[in-house]
Amino acid sequence: MPDPSTEYSFDPAAEVAEREVGEPPGLGPWRLAARRLRRNRVALGFLALFFLIVALCLAAPLYADHVAGIGPSDNNLTGKVERGGEQRDVVTPDGTPIGPGFGKEYLLGADANGRDVAVRLLYGGRNSLFVGFMSALITTLIATALGLIAGYFRGKTDLATRTLFDILWSFPVLLFAIALGTALAVGGLDLGPIHIAGNSIWIPTLVIGFVLIPYLGRPIRGQVLSLREKEFVQAAEASGMGPWRIIFGELLPNLSSTIIVFTTLIVANNIILEAGLSFLGAGIQPPAPSWGNLIANGVDRLVTAPHLAIVPGLAIVLTVLSLNVFGDGLRDALDPRAKLRLRA
Amino acid sequence: MARFAVRRLANMIFVLFAISVITFLIFNVIPSGDPALRIAGRQSNEVTRAQVREDFGFNDPVYVQYLRMMEQTISGDLISYSNRVNVREELVRGIPATASLVIGAAVIWLFFGVLFGVLSALYAGRAPDRLLTVLAMVGISLPVFWVGALLLYYLTFKVTLFPAGGYVPLTEDPASWFSHLILPWFALSLVFIGFYSRLLRSNMLDVMNEDYVRTARAKGLSERRVLVRHVMRNALIPIATLFGLDFALAFGSGAILTESVFGLQGVGQYVADSVGNLDLPPIMGTTLYAAFFVVFFSAIVDIVYARLDPRVRLNP
């Protein structure tokens, strides 16, 4: 609202505009997207599956306490479990763990130490999902900020950011993640006043979060470069908005569909990446379970106890699949023509 | 073109330089990285370790140490700290296995990725498309090492169809080379087939809506010719650039998980082993080797891209 005391206070055009403010005819882009998404039953079904998996993993302590009656790190080498009316060894004297079967205890079988696979699976899911989410968040925040700044300011800022992206991009992702993961897993990391212990879950999280920055940063920068030439940015500049206000108030909302879709897909990507790192011993450190190190553990015993590798692998596949299908539907709904891709 | 080449070359050298510095610094500042301990062994006493530090120049300023390591890297005299083996020789020893794995898998993933992508686009919305979409979504959701482990379990242990891992040089026994690589090829290419077919499908659907495709039909070209000369030609451009980068990544060391599951003694396996030991010289050597492939292929991809799509100008 212009100040009524100035001589410009009477502006017929502004009056007209004010009268017409309100819902414009038709639906806004978000409503349209929501409607398209609601019609996509498959995507919604997989979203529900994903929420179910998350809820189950969050309920891991409840399951451990009230159903299985055993903690994620509790060994049980000498115990017995009832299967089909008879008592069986959890781990036979020759070291073979019991497989999956119906019953409250050892629903998905035991591992070589007599630990309950179902309990470890749920606890491992918490860790894997945590790494997947937090690393995706780190990537998204940093990459979006860098892409926006580089694309808006151009010139030297852009050159510096692009070079940073080039360097991160050319680092062999897995190799670097493994090298950092292993290096930090032994000694931990000191970031000023913050000390991160060597077995902290934050180490794989930070490593994965950092190496993927250019995968989002580059497309964001490209989009900002072209958005920057649009009239609404000129209008914002002409109305006296500062660069930061333009970046966060005008440009960022235009990138939201890219960011939302990318973040969904990158969570899926990072869950697989974390599993790969853990498989090579550079991710989440045992005894803390994660889907990756559960598989690594199981691969060594494939012949005697295949369920040890199959069960956590299926958990990964279901989770990642649900995110991928939902992400795909989300992309179709938000921006049918968006071209986004990532890989690690 | 010449200007592009010069600037791009300068950029490549700078990126590789930055990567070497970062790698060097990271492994110098991490607390567990004392190379003297690694060389002298865990049971060594402080006197031996001090001697080792003196002999190897670990007491020199960091930049002197860095320059020495770079000199060794470039001249190929880089020696591992932990087992005193020449890094370049080890890398070169791993290349045949990695090359066999990656080139074979690349042929497979390109062939099936394109085939499935085209079929999906041609039958968009109908049964074949739906089936292929499901397969592709599952394919991109599979962790490669898990698939590899299951393949090994079911197809080599339960049913002895294939040999259980390992690598046989092509020159030694071509048939055995082939049978040892079938499962690794399959496992590695699955994810890529999924990605490529999805990408090609959406590209083709975009291109099919372009005006020039309608023009091509309107002027009476056969459907086949429209598809091959107009649709495919344009829809395949992004695939070509993507392929360059994926291939470079996999060749550099990206196939590390596949190599490790199937016990192919390739570059990736070497990387995994040396990285696990926190042995700086091999880490430096393999990181630069892998980064070189990415930087080099990125430049190639840009050139190819400009060639394939005349609208694109080379812009370093």
Side-chain angles (χ1 to χ4, degrees):
Chain A
M1 270 300 276
D3 182 358
S5 65
T6 66
E7 56 183 302
Y8 304 111
S9 62
F10 183 71
D11 180 352
E15 292 270 289
V16 173
E18 212 160 308
R19 245 180 287 130
E20 286 180 356
V21 163
E23 278 293 291
L27 294 173
W30 293 107
R31 302 271 294 274
L32 274 175
R35 195 161 73 180
R36 277 196 290 262
L37 192 59
R38 263 203 306 277
R39 288 199 190 126
N40 192 339
R41 290 282 159 80
V42 179
L44 288 183
F46 276 95
L47 180 66
L49 173 65
F50 177 70
F51 279 134
L52 180 71
I53 293 170
V54 173
L56 282 175
C57 291
L58 288 178
L62 292 177
Y63 181 81
D65 289 347
H66 299 291
V67 182
I70 186 171
S73 307
D74 297 342
N75 295 346
N76 183 10
L77 283 166
T78 51
K80 301 262 185 198
V81 61
E82 195 182 302
R83 277 291 153 81
E86 56 179 303
Q87 294 286 317
R88 303 237 324 254
D89 286 328
V90 171
V91 182
T92 60
D94 64 358
T96 310
I98 194 162
F102 287 107
K104 278 185 169 181
E105 295 164 344
Y106 298 103
L107 179 68
L108 298 174
D111 71 5
N113 292 329
R115 294 176 293 196
D116 190 317
V117 172
V119 173
R120 284 181 71 71
L121 184 76
L122 294 183
Y123 272 97
R126 296 169 79 129
N127 289 334
S128 292
L129 289 169
F130 178 87
V131 173
F133 270 112
M134 293 312 286
S135 57
L137 205 62
I138 292 171
T139 307
T140 309
L141 287 179
I142 300 180
T144 309
L146 286 177
L148 277 166
I149 291 169
Y152 183 78
F153 290 108
R154 298 185 282 206
K156 289 215 171 84
T157 322
D158 184 32
L159 184 69
T161 316
R162 242 181 23 213
T163 312
L164 179 71
F165 287 165
D166 279 348
I167 293 170
L168 276 176
W169 176 274
S170 310
F171 256 117
V173 175
L174 261 181
L175 197 168
F176 192 58
I178 297 163
L180 267 183
T182 328
L184 299 174
V186 187
L189 179 66
D190 280 302
L191 290 170
I194 312 159
H195 176 78
I196 300 176
N199 58 4
S200 166
I201 191 169
W202 279 101
I203 287 175
T205 311
L206 288 172
V207 168
I208 295 174
F210 268 95
V211 291
L212 291 176
I213 287 173
Y215 288 78
L216 175 63
R218 283 181 162 181
I220 292 271
R221 170 187 165 272
Q223 283 198 12
V224 174
L225 278 177
S226 74
L227 280 175
R228 203 193 181 301
E229 308 294 331
K230 296 263 161 78
E231 289 83 355
F232 71 91
V233 176
Q234 279 178 11
E237 274 168 353
S239 67
M241 282 192 196
W244 298 107
R245 210 171 140 203
I246 295 178
I247 288 176
F248 291 107
E250 303 286 321
L251 292 171
L252 185 58
N254 279 287
L255 298 168
S256 42
S257 63
T258 306
I259 295 171
I260 291 171
V261 172
F262 183 89
T263 309
T264 315
L265 295 177
I266 209 175
V267 171
N269 184 70
N270 289 1
I271 289 174
I272 290 199
L273 196 54
E274 183 280 318
L277 284 182
S278 292
F279 180 75
L280 293 168
I284 293 169
Q285 296 301 313
S290 85
W291 287 339
N293 67 30
L294 288 179
I295 296 180
N297 197 357
V299 165
D300 297 337
R301 295 172 200 283
L302 259 182
V303 174
T304 51
H307 68 279
L308 289 181
I310 294 176
V311 167
L314 282 178
I316 292 182
V317 175
L318 281 181
T319 311
V320 172
L321 182 66
S322 63
L323 280 170
N324 276 333
V325 175
F326 174 67
D328 222 46
L330 200 59
R331 172 177 43 203
D332 289 344
L334 282 170
D335 185 0
R337 293 185 62 87
K339 291 233 167 51
L340 247 188
R341 224 192 68 87
L342 69 131
R343 84 147 29 322
Chain B
M1 181 68 201
R3 222 173 90 102
F4 170 83
V6 171
R7 290 187 67 165
R8 201 51 196 256
L9 200 64
N11 176 271
M12 278 168 65
I13 291 170
F14 178 75
V15 167
L16 288 176
F17 166 72
I19 284 176
S20 69
V21 172
I22 295 171
T23 311
F24 188 81
L25 287 180
I26 286 175
F27 287 91
N28 256 291
V29 296
I30 49 165
S32 54
D34 183 8
L37 190 66
R38 194 139 294 118
I39 295 167
R42 296 232 174 258
Q43 279 84 35
S44 59
N45 57 33
E46 193 42 52
V47 182
T48 357
R49 288 204 287 270
Q51 186 61 43
V52 167
R53 272 189 206 108
E54 191 55 43
D55 291 349
F56 282 81
F58 294 139
N59 294 329
D60 294 344
V62 173
Y63 71 92
V64 176
Q65 293 189 43
Y66 169 77
L67 289 177
R68 187 165 46 227
M69 177 163 277
M70 281 302 97
E71 197 188 313
Q72 290 170 345
T73 309
I74 292 163
S75 62
D77 298 330
L78 204 55
I79 307 267
S80 146
Y81 287 154
S82 56
N83 56 7
R84 323 287 316 132
V85 180
N86 185 297
V87 172
R88 190 168 71 176
E89 282 169 17
E90 285 294 302
L91 261 178
V92 169
R93 200 202 310 272
I95 289 178
T98 301
S100 305
L101 170 67
V102 174
I103 295 174
V107 171
I108 297 174
W109 93 55
L110 209 53
F111 179 77
F112 285 102
V114 170
L115 180 71
F116 291 163
V118 171
L119 285 178
S120 247
L122 290 182
Y123 292 96
R126 282 180 277 164
D129 176 36
R130 281 165 191 242
L131 178 70
L132 287 171
T133 300
V134 171
L135 288 180
M137 292 313 280
V138 173
I140 61 176
S141 306
L142 293 172
V144 59
F145 55 96
W146 184 68
V147 175
L150 291 192
L151 287 174
L152 277 178
Y153 175 63
Y154 284 106
L155 298 182
T156 71
F157 176 72
K158 282 267 182 182
V159 189
T160 316
L161 275 180
F162 298 99
Y167 173 72
V168 177
L170 177 62
T171 46
E172 214 168 82
D173 182 354
S176 175
W177 171 84
F178 188 78
S179 66
H180 276 83
L181 279 167
I182 292 177
L183 292 183
W185 281 337
F186 180 71
L188 182 60
S189 50
L190 263 186
V191 174
F192 292 105
I193 294 175
F195 269 117
Y196 282 44
S197 63
R198 294 294 291 162
L199 183 69
L200 184 60
R201 174 185 182 274
S202 75
N203 284 343
M204 281 185 63
L205 292 180
D206 281 353
V207 174
M208 282 172 178
N209 284 323
E210 295 279 355
D211 290 342
Y212 57 76
V213 172
R214 193 172 26 178
T215 310
R217 287 217 178 89
K219 73 182 181 189
L221 291 188
S222 69
E223 194 57 26
R224 188 192 168 82
R225 204 170 160 85
V226 170
L227 193 69
V228 174
R229 290 291 287 270
H230 292 80
V231 176
M232 293 289 283
R233 224 193 125 123
N234 284 286
L236 278 174
I237 292 174
I239 299 278
T241 65
L242 193 64
F243 177 73
L245 293 175
D246 283 338
F247 184 78
L249 269 178
F251 211 100
S253 66
I256 192 166
L257 287 165
T258 316
E259 286 185 18
S260 148
V261 170
F262 289 100
L264 305 170
Q265 294 295 321
V267 177
Q269 185 83 54
Y270 177 55
V271 168
D273 294 346
S274 53
V275 162
N277 292 330
L278 287 185
D279 198 353
L280 180 55
I283 293 176
M284 179 66 86
T286 47
T287 304
L288 286 178
Y289 163 85
F292 170 77
F293 272 99
V294 176
V295 194
F296 182 70
F297 272 82
S298 299
I300 301 268
V301 158
D302 284 351
I303 295 171
V304 171
Y305 193 70
R307 274 284 151 90
L308 291 177
D309 190 343
R311 288 168 301 186
V312 174
R313 271 176 302 148
L314 283 178
N315 198 0

